Structure formats: structure tokens, C-alpha cells
Amino acid sequence: MSEAEIAAYNAPYPDDRFQAGARKFPALVPVEPDMDGVEVSKQAAAFWSSEWTGPSFMAIGGSDPVLGPPVMKMMHGLIRDCPEPLLIEEAGHFVQEWGDIVAPAALKSFGDI
């Protein structure tokens, strides 16, 4: 990332003490069946697959080491009527860094709302 991009990510945090939540968050993601949050995740999956009726759009970072194409394609299958995801091969976990590609595709998908 450029210095400007790094500065943008750090802008909300006056110093390292304010980044404690961001550092703690990955450990809170339920990755084992007995972890807190698993039931809520199952409820969310049920909602997206059986109750959701709105439009959706998905962009996938092809180089995301956390939620890459295999995980996101599984999630895509859970979301009722989700169109084919936009796959950005070079993108990592933060697809918003590819906003020049994602934003126009999302607007087109949602009919330029």
C-alpha cells in the first residue's frame, strides 16, 4: 500500500491503544463448532438462504488469504438469488481497495440506485 493508503487506514486511530478492537476481532470469529457465535452464524445463514428477498451483490478477492474464493463461493450459495460474484483475482481481503472496479459493478447490479 502507498503511504496515503496506510494513513487512511490509520486515520480513525489516534494511537495504537485505539486499535485494540481491530487486533482482537480475528480471535472472535467462530472457527470451531463450540465457539461463541456459531449459533448466530447458523441463524444468519438460514436467514440469507430462506428469508432474504432483497437484491444482493458480492465481490470476492481472489487473493484473500482469509475468505478467499472457496469460502466466498460457499457463502454465495447461501444467499438467495445472489447473482454471480465479481471476482477480482488481484484483490486481497479488503476489496474496497478496488473501489474503482467494485463500485461501478455494484451500481450496475443494483440498477444505478
Side-chain angles (χ1 to χ4, degrees):
M1 287 192 293
S2 70
E3 290 295 322
E5 291 167 331
I6 293 168
Y9 272 107
N10 286 329
Y13 310 107
D15 63 50
D16 288 348
R17 295 174 299 151
F18 293 87
Q19 295 178 349
R23 286 192 304 271
K24 178 76 174 168
F25 178 73
L28 300 176
V29 175
V31 294
E32 298 294 332
D34 60 340
M35 290 180 72
D36 288 341
V38 169
E39 283 307 311
V40 170
S41 295
K42 288 179 180 178
Q43 291 170 0
F47 169 81
W48 288 113
S49 64
S50 63
E51 296 178 45
W52 176 252
T53 59
S56 58
F57 172 82
M58 180 182 283
I60 299 173
S63 298
D64 182 348
V66 180
L67 299 174
V71 173
M72 293 303 290
K73 288 188 183 212
M74 182 274 303
M75 290 180 69
H76 169 259
L78 293 175
I79 302 171
R80 181 193 289 187
D81 297 328
C82 185
E84 191 62 29
L86 169 65
L87 176 63
I88 305 171
E89 290 291 346
E90 304 84 15
H93 186 66
F94 298 103
V95 294
Q96 70 268 22
E97 294 171 349
W98 298 81
D100 58 329
I101 297 170
V102 174
L107 289 171
K108 182 179 178 185
S109 176
F110 290 121
D112 292 317
I113 300 174

